[in-house]
Amino acid sequence: MKKSLNWLLYETHRWLGVVLALFMFVWFASGLSIMYTTPMTQTKAQQLAHAETLEPQSGWLSLGEVWANSVGPRQAAVAKLKATPVTGGETMAAAAKAKPAEELPLNIADARLVRAAGEPLWLIEDTQGNRFAFSAVDGTLREISAEQALQIARHWFAAEQPERDVKLSYLESVDNSIILRNQDALRPFHKIAGDGGEELLISARTGEVLHASTRFNRGLYWVGNWIHLFKPLEAIGLGHIRHDVQLWSGLAATIACITGLIIGWLRWRPGFGGKPTYSQGRTQPYREFWFKWHFWTGLIGGTVALGWSLSGFIDTNPGKLFSEGNIAKAEASRYLGGELPTAMFDWRPGPLPEIARRADIVEINWRRLGGDTVLLANARDGQRLPQTPDGVGPRFSEAALAAALQRLDGAGDSVELAVLEDYDSYYYPRHHQTQVDKPLPVVLAQFRDQAGTRVYLDPQDGRILAKLDSSRRLYRWLYSGLHHWDFGWLYYRPIWDVWMLTWVGFGVVLGASSLVIGWKRLKKTFAPKKRRSAAVQAGAPLPATLATEAAD
């Protein structure tokens, strides 16, 4: 029995290693690239920094006028978008039929007044997730043309490098882009190129710059995220199986790491002080160069490699063990409430106060919770200056937040509210994010429900910043904790860089040695029988394998 289990252990590790060797090597090498790839999807802070100065004028239309007079155009735009194939070839309408969802009331979820290509626009998101741009001058539904996209790009580069005269060219309009995630509501996209190798992707629906990259950024992406996350499958039309490939690859890598660690610890007999503990006076079990490197990198770095493999598997949410991380549209709709407050509906833009003009306001944002509203003037540097026309407060009250939370989950009085002045283990910025993207302070709402739900809210604009139940908090540690090491003192740079570079380095060597050993195993297994027999008769040694090298 023991002999059979030992054979199964070695064979499982050996053949999983043969199959996964190239995958593991590329996985670790691409992870090294990901560490230093600048995110190309633009954050809120980046969009504000490159936006056009708003300078609102008297005579522009109110949000209510635009919304009330646009029913027909909105319906036509939604129908057109749903009929256009998304990534994978399926239309949004077909996907909606395949996954029937709760019928949501139609109302305004978010409204922003901006300038794009010099034109004032109301950018509206409805409670069903659709996005629109309406002229603030005449109320017509707008689509950003190629010429306007070039104007937007010209302003973007001027804000980035004022001293440089960038020559722009329009490349194409695309309905889908592998490089963008979760942006289907903003399709199609205008692709603009700069003469220095830069590229922008601009939404034709709203004029927002969603992606900005240099040639070097894209190179890192293609050798990093693109390979690491099996994006080539999407490029060849197999995006529908990408999740399954990632799931089974992660599971197989986890098993390979576990069996390798068991073999390593079974084989290791430490010889302290240089005392030989293996045959022929050796202090380690393997003689051959690559086997020695494979053994020691696996023994030392195998536990971290196991953590990365397991967390990559967990990232696929196998068997739907964990709740979804995103707020469902139905939840967001309930949280906002069904009313559209009169103050939000009737307010007309006009010249801003002097203090707001000095702050270089680039956007005016309406937010609502039930019957309460907040009007914020967002500056280029991320400042949010409350505007307080009649019936509008500077921020949402605790009562308004509590009522919205009750609508969210029917929690009633079984929720505790606390104000957090600093980040915690579940709400924190990534390395590339600023406080504009992850604002402070926040309100933490803790529900006394069976799932132990926590909700993080922005008290100024009422947004739900994060929602985690107990399963999602476990996922945070099993995936993000093990995969990104984003907790405690480890997350501070350069400590994080040293830690990650050390273990990724072990992984790269482990993967490279697996490739060599796997190749030797394949050559031995599939070598022609006559050649192998001749080699034995001539006394020539066969290629070393893990099992033969392990023998004392």
Side-chain angles (χ1 to χ4, degrees), residues 271-534:
F272 297 108
K275 179 182 178 181
T277 54
Y278 298 92
S279 62
Q280 300 177 359
R282 288 181 289 116
T283 57
Q284 55 182 317
Y286 302 109
R287 294 184 296 271
E288 205 267 346
F289 176 83
W290 285 107
F291 283 88
K292 286 193 290 186
W293 276 101
H294 189 76
F295 174 76
W296 288 112
T297 54
L299 194 67
I300 298 171
T303 301
V304 178
L306 172 61
W308 275 324
S309 301
L310 176 62
S311 57
F313 172 63
I314 292 295
D315 183 37
T316 65
N317 197 4
K320 303 297 181 184
L321 292 172
F322 306 97
S323 61
E324 294 296 328
N326 297 324
I327 304 297
K329 291 185 180 69
E331 290 181 309
S333 180
R334 291 197 303 270
Y335 176 74
L336 292 173
E339 306 172 24
L340 193 64
T342 303
M344 181 175 174
F345 201 90
D346 293 341
W347 176 82
R348 284 181 172 275
L352 293 169
E354 178 62 27
I355 187 172
R357 289 199 297 273
R358 287 202 304 269
D360 194 6
I361 299 302
V362 296
E363 175 182 286
I364 291 180
N365 185 200
W366 272 111
R367 299 291 302 175
R368 68 183 181 90
L369 289 178
D372 292 4
T373 57
V374 167
L375 181 63
L376 298 172
N378 296 326
R380 188 177 303 283
D381 61 2
Q383 287 186 77
R384 295 186 293 180
L385 303 179
Q387 307 299 299
T388 54
D390 291 342
V392 178
R395 63 175 54 215
F396 288 107
S397 65
E398 185 174 319
L401 294 174
L405 290 167
Q406 183 176 357
R407 291 192 300 271
L408 176 66
D409 278 340
D413 295 329
S414 59
V415 58
E416 295 180 1
L417 300 182
V419 176
L420 300 185
E421 299 288 345
D422 203 354
Y423 301 111
D424 64 10
S425 296
Y426 302 102
Y427 176 74
Y428 56 95
R430 300 292 184 189
H431 283 142
H432 63 277
Q433 292 179 319
T434 69
Q435 196 164 313
V436 176
D437 308 302
K438 289 284 187 176
L440 285 173
V442 295
V443 172
L444 170 60
Q446 300 194 68
F447 293 83
R448 300 192 191 95
D449 58 0
Q450 191 172 2
T453 306
R454 288 185 180 184
V455 177
Y456 294 83
L457 307 171
D458 186 330
Q460 187 157 40
D461 67 11
R463 282 180 302 147
I464 297 178
L465 301 168
K467 180 174 181 281
L468 306 96
D469 60 13
S470 55
S471 77
R472 201 68 196 173
R473 293 196 295 277
L474 177 61
Y475 174 89
R476 179 263 182 272
W477 294 109
L478 291 180
Y479 169 61
S480 196
L482 287 176
H483 215 76
H484 302 134
W485 296 91
D486 53 357
F487 57 88
W489 53 267
L490 274 179
Y491 200 47
Y492 291 97
R493 305 188 100 154
I495 298 173
W496 182 83
D497 298 85
V498 173
W499 175 268
M500 295 292 282
L501 287 171
T502 298
W503 297 116
V504 170
F506 271 96
V508 169
V509 175
L510 186 64
S513 60
S514 297
L515 273 173
V516 175
I517 294 170
W519 178 246
K520 288 184 176 184
R521 163 54 62 177
L522 287 174
K523 283 204 302 183
K524 178 185 177 183
T525 302
F526 296 105
K529 290 184 178 180
K530 288 183 179 179
R531 211 175 79 191
R532 293 175 63 192
S533 299

Side-chain angles (χ1 to χ4, degrees), residues 143-150 170 190 204:
E143 281 200 10
I144 304 302
S145 66
E147 291 76 17
Q148 288 175 311
L150 284 167
Y170 184 87
H190 296 296

